[in-house]
């Protein structure tokens, strides 16, 4: 056992200072071999959400070492098991018997010691909170709130409630509170350190504490307990078992607590739905539930309010991106000042920008999982509310992104309190940056209006805290008198700031329980309410510059380009193939090469090779037995694969696209029954249902990004329906796959990305083995397990191949086709006028803007002649489908989009033995998307600059911004 009380610095096990915490049981850290959960620095996750997440997953699974990218790691916590949980509860029970009878003065000493050490460690704790993603302004406020809560005013008031002595009728009478015993705490995931700090006050009542730490952000909370709370307990002479802290699965901990006779109370922080479920489970198990749940706090802004200060307080709604449970979420605004306040707020909200947490100007926290954000805004629009700001998902630079980690701050205004009650953002707790302004309809009498607004607040389902802004003593008195349904009231004051004597937490209703109150963990059995009335503005504190303890990490890609890269421009300033400018518009370059150097020696990021641009050459290369598809036999393929972990490279690249006959034919024959035209046609109804559902979400907006709204989710949903796998977080998976397929693997965290793909494949195969179905993975599992037709590596390789290559042709076909039509209004009009034109038109759209302008690598096994050029053996071929599909020798006037063109034979889905098995699904998906978009979004037109995604093998858009005329209500689908 290593006793944490005797160490002087943070727990570490490496010279570079990696914070490393073991299970804390009875004030000491247990040692021994264990599994770890790693915490990645928030700035690394913000900088590269996909790569850093994959690296964290690889660390937690043991597939990669901390030495790979040590600059990104904040620390790690050992995962505790059932034995640790049991030991912590037994230590707590033993300590509670002794500590519960300790004198009040001893507990007061503990509060003073804890606060002193907290102040001493304030800078370090602030830095850790910032590294976990709390903007520095909020991190400082959290530490300040804890210092205030453990200040002498609050502590002494609470201790006075613990015991009172009286003399009556010759008797000594003592009224005292006795501790419950063992209190188990599950802190909130978004602010675990603050929750743990507040819960520590229950120790002052004489309880012993067992804390389950979040695996998401355990470092700051564990530091607070191990480096601040444990030494403070030692200073006060508390028995060591008073405090234990474990990082483990939440369900495992809760089940153990509910089942254990050693547990008395469960203090739970979380959302109201889970909290109500836990309350019932606690009562059934004979435990006292102390619930600290979500909120939907309200602010009343009366007509005489000081607007500058009121607006500043309302902007606290966006602190932490709205994930602070006691932040204001709904503002009731007097109609006389509503327009002015709305204008001021709108300007301030639109000016909010994402940023890294160490920037003192930033208040938004990264929120990768903003469940409900889009649905809540859509609900507001449907209800007739105005969305004045917000609605996009942004990266740290403020750009819209599929893998965004910030939700754009949103502001909604609704007129009429009756309509406001119907809004999702008013009825339910929100954990994203959204503030709703509810403006009552004007009435002739202010007294009547005040009654309506105060009643609205008083009857709210959530009971954390509510605020009022006014100069009127009469209005203040009315508000304080009639609003009794919450734990705390604030008048003309910050909604969030800590106040002496007042607890930061607590309330009844959906924010606590039927017996909820202002929550001092020392005093949890009587009903209390605190009121803070600020008669003047609190003095402003001078801002102290924040200097991060560590430089912001950034993982750079391994860049190893071949000689001659980047190549020089072609004559006339045309960009060379595979360069960034070429990806933006490849056709001028391909046209020049086809006319002057149809078989051209070029350099790609994966090395040199021969580029074929004529239709006949590209088609012939598809069927020539001297041309291989095996990337392990192609120089460019070996160059690309060199950054993949060797074990994955050898095991997974044995799939259909990476094999030659006869094995290619055998693998194709196994999969062919799943891809007959008849069977693929069965997907049409499902595809149409998906398209309609996606358009339903955006039809009333009037503008949007067709890639994010339609193409991306459509491609992913169709793929996972075919695979029969449980869909993951689709945007993350798609971005990860795109990056694993980049040319030269010129991306950070490439090994972590590869491990993530492999992990998904393993999980999908294992899941399907437990429950076979009528899907592609089940077909492959049967071919392996029942028929012995493929190896285990081929099974995994085939699933990986479908995962990587299965959705992008559909995505690109949808996006490219819609873009081509928008660029050719005459063709768009023709298709809108005659939807049956899609029959020939889809072939033309696929030819004109092929979703895959290049095949995967090809190589020569022997010398091969293409026209007058002989490509030597063991060299790389780049087969350009996009150039072949615009060869005038095959397609007259090829650069013109003509939906009436009848010339067959485009190569968009390949040719010969490697013709795409899922071509029919891809075409059908694109047809459904194009025709439905044109039918349901009238007046479709460009609304910004499309962005092409750089990729060696693909031609696809990342963004396609459009606008349309909002259809009338009740219009046909």
């Amino acid at each position: 056992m290593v006793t944490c009380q005797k160490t002087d610095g943070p727990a570490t096990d490496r010279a570079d200072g990696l914070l490393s915490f073991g299970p804390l049981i009875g004030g000491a850290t247990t040692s021994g071999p264990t599994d770890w959960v790693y915490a990645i620095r928030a700035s690394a996750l913000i900088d590269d959400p996909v790569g850093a997440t994959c690296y964290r997953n690889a660390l937690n699974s043991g597939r990669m070492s901390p030495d790979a990218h040590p600059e990104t790691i904040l620390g790690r916590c050992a995962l505790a098991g059932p034995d640790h949980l049991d030991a912590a509860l037994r230590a707590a029970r033993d300590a509670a018997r002794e500590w519960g009878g300790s004198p009040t003065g001893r507990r007061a000493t503990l509060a003073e010691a804890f606060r002193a050490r907290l102040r001493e460690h304030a800078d370090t704790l602030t830095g850790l909170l910032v590294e976990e993603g709390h903007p520095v302004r909020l991190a400082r406020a959290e530490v300040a709130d804890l210092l205030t809560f453990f200040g002498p005013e609050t502590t002494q008031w609470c201790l006075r409630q613990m015991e009172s002595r009286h003399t009556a009728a010759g008797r000594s009478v003592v009224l005292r509170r006795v501790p419950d015993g063992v209190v188990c705490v599950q802190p909130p995931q978004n602010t675990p350190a603050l929750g743990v700090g507040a819960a520590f006050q229950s120790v002052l009542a004489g309880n012993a504490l067992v804390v389950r730490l979040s695996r998401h952000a355990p470092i700051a909370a564990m530091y607070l307990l191990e480096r601040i709370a444990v030494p403070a307990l030692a200073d006060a002479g508390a028995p060591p078992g008073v405090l234990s802290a474990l990082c483990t699965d939440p369900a495992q901990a809760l089940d153990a607590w509910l089942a254990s006779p050693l547990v008395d109370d469960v203090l739970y922080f979380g959302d109201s739905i889970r909290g109500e479920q836990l309350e019932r489970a606690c009562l059934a198990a004979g435990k006292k539930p102390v619930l600290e749940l979500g909120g939907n706090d309200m602010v009343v802004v009366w007509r005489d309010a000081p607007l500058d200060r009121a607006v500043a307080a309302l902007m606290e709604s966006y602190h932490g991106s709205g994930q602070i449970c006691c932040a204001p979420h709904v503002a009731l605004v007097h109609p006389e000042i509503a327009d002015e306040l709305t204008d001021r707020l709108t300007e301030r909200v639109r000016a909010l920008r994402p940023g890294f947490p160490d920037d003192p100007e930033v208040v938004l926290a990264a929120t990768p999982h903003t469940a409900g954000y889009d649905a809540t805004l859509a609900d507001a629009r449907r209800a007739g509310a105005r969305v004045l700001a917000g609605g996009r998902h942004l990266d740290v630079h403020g750009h819209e992104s599929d893998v965004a980690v910030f939700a754009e701050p949103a502001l909604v205004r609704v007129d009429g309190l009756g309509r406001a009650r119907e809004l999702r953002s008013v009825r339910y707790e929100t954990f994203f940056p959204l503030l709703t302004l509810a403006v009552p309809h004007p009435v002739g009498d202010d007294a009547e209006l005040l009654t309506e607004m105060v009643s609205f607040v008083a009857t709210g389902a959530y009971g954390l805290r509510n605020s009022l802004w006014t100069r009127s003593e009469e209005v203040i008195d009315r508000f304080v008198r009639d609003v009794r349904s919450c734990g705390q009231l604030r008048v003309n004051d910050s909604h969030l700031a800590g106040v002496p004597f007042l607890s930061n937490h607590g309330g009844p209703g959906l924010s606590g329980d039927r017996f909820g109150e202002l929550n001092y963990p020392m005093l949890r059995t009587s009903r209390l309410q605190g009121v803070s009335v600020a008669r003047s503005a609190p003095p402003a504190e001078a801002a102290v510059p924040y200097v991060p303890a560590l430089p912001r990490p950034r993982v750079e890609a391994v860049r190893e380009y071949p000689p001659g890269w980047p190549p020089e421009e072609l004559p006339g300033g045309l960009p060379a193939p595979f360069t960034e400018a070429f990806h933006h518009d490849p056709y001028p370059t391909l046209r020049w090469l086809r006319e002057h150097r149809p078989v051209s020696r070029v350099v790609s990021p994966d090395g040199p090779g021969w580029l074929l641009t004529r239709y006949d050459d590209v088609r012939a290369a598809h069927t020539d037995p001297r041309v291989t598809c095996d990337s392990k036999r192609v120089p460019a393929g070996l160059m690309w694969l060199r950054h993949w972990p060797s074990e994955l490279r050898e095991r997974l690249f044995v799939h259909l696209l990476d094999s030659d006959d006869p094995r290619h034919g055998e693998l194709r024959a196994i999969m062919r029954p799943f891809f007959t035209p008849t069977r693929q046609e069965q997907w049409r109804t499902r595809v149409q249902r998906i398209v309609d559902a996606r358009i339903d979400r955006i039809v009333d907006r009037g503008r949007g990004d067709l890639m994010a709204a339609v193409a991306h989710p459509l491609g992913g949903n169709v793929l996972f329906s075919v695979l029969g796998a449980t869909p993951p977080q689709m945007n993350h998976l798609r971005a990860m796959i795109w990056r694993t397929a980049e040319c030269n693997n010129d991306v950070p965290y490439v090994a972590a990305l590869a491990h993530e793909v492999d992990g998904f494949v393993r999980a999908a195969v294992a899941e399907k083995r437990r429950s076979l179905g009528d899907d592609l993975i089940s077909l492959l599992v049967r071919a392996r397990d029942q028929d012995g037709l493929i190896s285990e590596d081929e099974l995994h390789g085939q699933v990986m191949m479908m995962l990587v290559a299965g959705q992008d042709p559909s995505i690109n076909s949808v996006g490219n086709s819609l873009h081509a039509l928008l660029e050719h209004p005459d063709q768009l009009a023709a298709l809108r006028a005659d939807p049956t034109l899609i029959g020939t038109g889809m072939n033309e759209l696929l030819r004109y803007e092929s979703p895959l302008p290049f095949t995967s690598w090809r190589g020569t096994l022997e010398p091969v002649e293409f026209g007058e050029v002989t490509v030597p053996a063991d060299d790389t071929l780049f087969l350009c489908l996009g150039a072949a599909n615009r060869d005038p020798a095959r397609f007259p006037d090829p650069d013109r989009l003509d939906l009436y063109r009848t010339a067959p034979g485009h190569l968009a889905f390949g040719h010969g033995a490697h013709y795409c098995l899922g071509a029919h699904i891809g075409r059908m998906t694109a047809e459904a998307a194009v025709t439905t978009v044109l039918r349901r979004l009238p007046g479709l037109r460009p609304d910004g600059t499309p962005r092409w995604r750089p990729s060696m093998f693909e031609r696809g858009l990342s963004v396609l911004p459009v606008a349309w005329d909002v259809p009338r209500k009740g219009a046909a689908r």
Side-chain angles (χ1 to χ4, degrees):
M1 303 283 283
V2 179
T3 303
C4 301
Q5 297 172 5
K6 297 181 180 179
T7 60
D8 296 323
T12 63
D13 67 353
R14 280 183 13 186
D16 62 5
L18 172 70
L19 283 166
S20 187
F21 298 100
L24 181 67
I25 299 177
T29 301
T30 61
S31 58
T34 188
D35 294 326
W36 298 93
V37 58
Y38 285 82
I40 299 294
R41 293 170 61 188
S43 47
L45 288 163
I46 291 171
D47 182 61
D48 189 345
V50 175
T53 298
C54 291
Y55 180 47
R56 180 180 61 196
N57 294 344
L59 286 169
N60 290 341
S61 65
R63 295 187 177 190
M64 291 187 72
S65 162
D67 297 328
H69 305 293
E71 68 278 16
T72 70
I73 302 173
L74 175 61
R76 65 180 184 176
C77 278
L79 283 173
D83 291 344
H84 295 111
L85 285 166
D86 183 66
L89 293 177
R90 292 185 182 280
R93 174 54 68 193
D94 291 340
R97 294 190 183 99
E98 176 185 344
W99 182 242
S102 61
T104 302
R106 196 170 167 193
R107 300 176 204 166
T109 300
L110 171 59
E112 293 168 5
F114 179 79
R115 189 167 188 263
R117 288 186 175 272
L118 179 60
R119 187 178 295 280
E120 177 186 343
H121 290 262
D123 288 344
T124 302
L125 184 59
T126 298
L128 291 175
L129 289 169
V130 171
E131 296 291 355
E132 285 187 337
H134 300 230
V136 63
R137 288 173 59 181
L138 273 65
R140 283 174 165 161
E142 289 176 50
V143 175
D145 284 351
L146 277 180
L147 287 168
T148 300
F149 185 53
F150 281 90
E153 303 92 344
T154 307
T155 297
Q156 291 303 320
W157 183 85
C158 286
L159 287 172
R160 285 196 299 270
Q161 316 308 307
M162 294 297 296
E163 181 178 290
S164 63
R165 295 179 178 271
H166 309 274
T167 300
R171 297 181 179 88
S172 295
V173 177
V174 178
L175 299 177
R176 66 178 186 179
R177 296 181 187 273
V178 294
D180 288 337
V182 175
V183 178
C184 294
V185 182
Q186 179 151 302
Q189 183 168 300
N190 57 331
T191 56
L194 186 62
V196 164
F200 185 70
Q201 201 206 35
S202 64
V203 175
L204 302 186
N207 295 298
L209 206 62
V210 177
V211 180
R212 187 210 72 88
L213 288 173
S214 162
R215 293 176 297 176
H216 173 72
I219 302 302
M222 184 61 95
Y223 183 92
L224 174 67
L225 294 175
E226 184 179 289
R227 305 305 310 143
I228 298 173
V230 168
L233 286 165
D235 292 344
V242 163
L243 180 62
S244 296
L246 309 168
C247 186
T248 188
D249 179 75
Q252 181 184 38
L254 287 172
D255 288 346
W257 295 346
L258 292 172
S260 174
L262 304 175
V263 175
D264 297 294
D265 296 355
V266 176
L267 175 50
Y268 173 85
F269 296 76
D271 67 84
S272 58
I273 295 176
R274 292 188 183 91
E276 289 181 315
Q277 294 169 348
L278 178 63
E279 180 181 31
R280 291 191 291 270
C282 284
L283 295 175
K287 318 296 181 188
K288 179 197 288 184
V290 183
L291 305 181
E292 191 61 52
L293 306 179
N296 217 22
D297 287 5
M298 300 188 201
V299 181
V300 173
V301 186
W302 197 244
R303 59 181 173 83
D304 63 346
L307 287 189
D308 287 342
R309 292 175 58 200
V311 166
L314 289 174
M315 290 299 294
E316 293 176 354
S317 172
Y318 302 99
H319 287 196
S321 289
Q323 295 191 95
I324 300 174
C325 60
C326 53
H329 293 287
V330 180
L332 277 62
V333 186
H334 194 289
E336 288 186 15
I337 61 166
D339 290 344
E340 182 179 357
L341 183 135
T342 298
D343 291 343
R344 291 193 189 191
L345 265 177
T346 302
E347 182 179 0
R348 292 280 300 274
V349 172
R350 288 176 177 172
L352 287 175
R353 293 289 180 268
F356 289 96
D358 56 10
D359 184 343
E361 300 301 317
V362 167
V363 299
L364 300 177
T367 53
H369 309 297
T370 51
Y373 175 76
D374 295 327
T376 301
L377 289 177
D379 171 78
R381 292 187 181 95
R382 283 194 298 270
R386 286 185 287 159
V387 177
L388 305 170
R392 299 182 299 164
H393 298 260
L394 307 174
D395 64 18
V396 70
H397 306 294
H399 302 142
E400 196 164 2
S401 170
D402 271 348
V403 289
V405 291
F406 293 92
E408 185 177 33
L411 181 65
V412 171
R413 173 169 168 170
V414 57
D415 289 275
L417 296 188
R419 179 178 290 179
R421 289 184 187 278
E422 300 173 0
L423 292 189
R424 180 171 177 163
S425 60
V426 176
R427 291 161 54 207
Y428 303 113
E429 59 198 289
T430 57
F431 289 103
F432 35 81
L434 188 152
L435 174 64
T436 300
L437 303 180
V439 182
H441 293 306
V443 295
D445 186 353
D446 257 0
E448 181 183 345
L449 184 62
L450 180 61
T451 298
E452 183 182 10
M453 295 173 73
V454 169
S455 175
F456 191 97
V457 176
T459 56
Y462 298 88
L464 277 180
R465 65 180 65 165
N466 293 300
S467 288
L468 168 68
W469 284 90
T470 183
R471 292 184 174 92
S472 168
E473 291 294 335
E474 180 182 354
V475 174
I476 293 173
D477 291 344
R478 178 71 180 279
F479 183 78
V480 171
R481 184 194 74 189
D482 290 350
V483 180
R484 300 186 298 275
S485 58
C486 61
Q488 188 175 146
L489 302 179
R490 296 291 180 96
V491 179
N492 296 338
D493 199 2
S494 163
H495 198 90
L496 287 177
V499 175
F501 296 104
L502 298 186
S503 171
N504 280 322
H505 300 87
L510 294 178
S511 295
D513 53 51
R514 295 306 303 169
F515 305 99
E517 62 182 3
L518 185 62
N519 186 1
Y520 301 89
M522 294 168 66
L523 316 169
R524 192 57 183 89
T525 55
S526 57
R527 295 180 64 84
L528 296 173
Q529 183 182 74
V531 177
S532 172
V533 178
R535 300 301 179 186
S536 60
E541 295 185 8
V544 179
Y546 177 77
V547 180
L550 298 171
R552 185 182 299 155
R554 182 174 179 83
V555 173
E556 298 289 344
V558 178
R559 293 180 169 87
E560 300 175 18
Y561 294 119
W565 183 266
E568 296 180 357
E569 292 182 339
L570 300 180
L574 292 173
F578 309 120
T579 59
E580 183 177 352
F582 171 81
H583 289 306
H584 182 71
D585 185 8
Y587 297 110
T589 294
L590 295 175
R591 186 185 309 117
W592 187 91
L593 287 172
R594 193 173 51 241
E595 293 173 356
H596 298 91
R597 302 177 194 169
V599 184
S600 178
R601 184 72 171 173
V602 299
V603 176
S604 82
D606 289 327
W610 296 86
L611 175 62
L612 308 184
T613 54
R614 289 185 301 215
Y615 181 92
D616 290 343
D617 291 338
V618 171
R619 183 182 171 102
H622 273 81
T623 57
D624 196 312
R626 296 168 296 176
V627 175
T628 181
C629 296
D630 186 347
S631 61
K632 297 181 289 298
R633 304 174 72 181
V634 178
L638 293 172
M639 178 79 169
W640 182 85
L641 281 169
R642 74 195 185 287
H643 292 313
W644 272 60
S646 58
E647 182 265 336
L648 300 184
R649 184 170 63 240
E650 295 300 322
R651 185 165 59 80
L652 292 178
F653 283 84
V654 289
H655 52 71
L656 194 67
L657 295 183
D658 220 47
S659 59
D660 299 322
D661 284 335
R663 189 53 179 161
H664 170 266
E666 294 167 351
L667 293 173
R668 192 177 179 93
I670 293 170
M671 297 177 68
R672 187 179 293 118
F674 196 83
F675 289 100
T676 63
T678 300
R679 178 153 189 163
Q680 293 183 71
E681 188 63 26
Q682 295 172 359
W683 291 89
R684 186 176 293 277
T685 300
R686 187 175 304 183
V687 168
Q688 186 63 55
R689 187 166 58 245
I690 295 171
V691 176
D692 281 325
R694 297 304 304 185
I695 294 180
D696 285 343
R697 296 187 178 191
I698 66 168
V699 65
D700 294 330
R701 297 183 188 178
R703 57 172 31 88
D705 171 20
L706 287 180
M707 299 306 295
V710 179
H712 292 160
L714 179 58
N717 276 285
V718 171
L719 169 66
F720 279 92
S721 294
V722 171
L723 289 176
T726 302
Q729 187 184 349
M730 208 74 81
N731 292 345
H732 171 85
L733 181 70
R734 182 173 59 255
M736 177 186 70
I737 289 171
W738 282 353
R739 293 175 61 176
T740 58
E742 287 294 337
C743 51
N744 194 241
N745 271 334
D746 182 16
V747 292
Y749 300 103
V750 64
L753 294 164
H755 280 298
E756 187 88 345
V757 172
D758 178 55
F760 178 84
V761 169
R762 288 172 179 265
V765 170
E767 177 187 22
K768 197 54 59 179
R769 276 185 164 136
R770 291 190 294 269
S771 178
L772 291 173
D774 185 22
D775 51 68
L776 183 56
I777 298 181
S778 294
L779 181 148
L780 293 170
V781 168
R782 291 187 180 98
R784 163 63 181 160
D785 295 351
Q786 299 177 12
D787 303 325
L789 299 177
I790 58 176
S791 68
E792 188 71 13
D793 287 353
E794 286 174 324
L795 166 61
H796 285 225
Q798 289 291 91
V799 175
M800 189 272 289
M801 179 269 292
M802 289 297 299
L803 187 68
V804 172
Q807 62 177 318
D808 283 3
S810 292
I811 290 173
N812 296 342
S813 295
V814 171
N816 294 357
S817 297
L818 289 168
H819 176 260
L821 290 169
L822 289 167
E823 291 288 297
H824 297 81
D826 60 324
Q827 299 297 297
L828 187 151
L831 183 55
R832 195 187 292 277
D834 180 11
T836 64
L837 188 57
I838 197 68
T840 57
M842 198 68 246
N843 278 330
E844 173 67 355
L845 289 166
L846 291 168
R847 179 203 69 82
Y848 181 80
E849 195 70 88
S850 302
L852 300 173
F854 290 91
T855 66
S856 56
W857 306 276
R858 299 289 197 271
T860 53
L861 301 176
E862 303 174 18
V864 183
E865 304 78 21
F866 296 100
E868 299 177 354
V869 176
T870 298
V871 176
D874 301 317
D875 215 336
T876 298
L877 289 175
F878 303 113
L879 309 187
C880 188
L881 304 177
N885 282 338
R886 293 203 184 191
D887 187 344
R890 174 69 185 186
F891 304 101
D893 197 7
D895 293 323
R896 179 173 61 87
L897 180 67
D898 180 7
L899 299 185
Y900 294 94
R901 189 190 301 269
T902 57
H906 69 76
L907 303 179
F909 292 117
H911 175 67
H914 281 273
Y915 183 77
C916 178
L917 276 171
H920 189 81
I921 289 181
R923 175 193 168 99
M924 181 177 60
T925 301
E927 285 182 0
V930 169
T931 56
T932 306
V933 165
L934 294 187
R935 184 180 74 253
R936 297 196 57 195
L937 303 181
L940 190 70
R941 55 197 178 273
D943 188 42
T945 303
R947 293 203 302 268
W948 294 96
R949 182 169 63 86
S951 174
M952 181 170 175
F953 300 117
E954 297 183 21
R955 175 74 170 158
L957 291 155
S958 59
V959 176
L960 181 56
V962 296
W964 59 89
D965 302 328
V966 176
R968 298 187 309 276
K969 295 293 182 181
R973 296 178 62 183

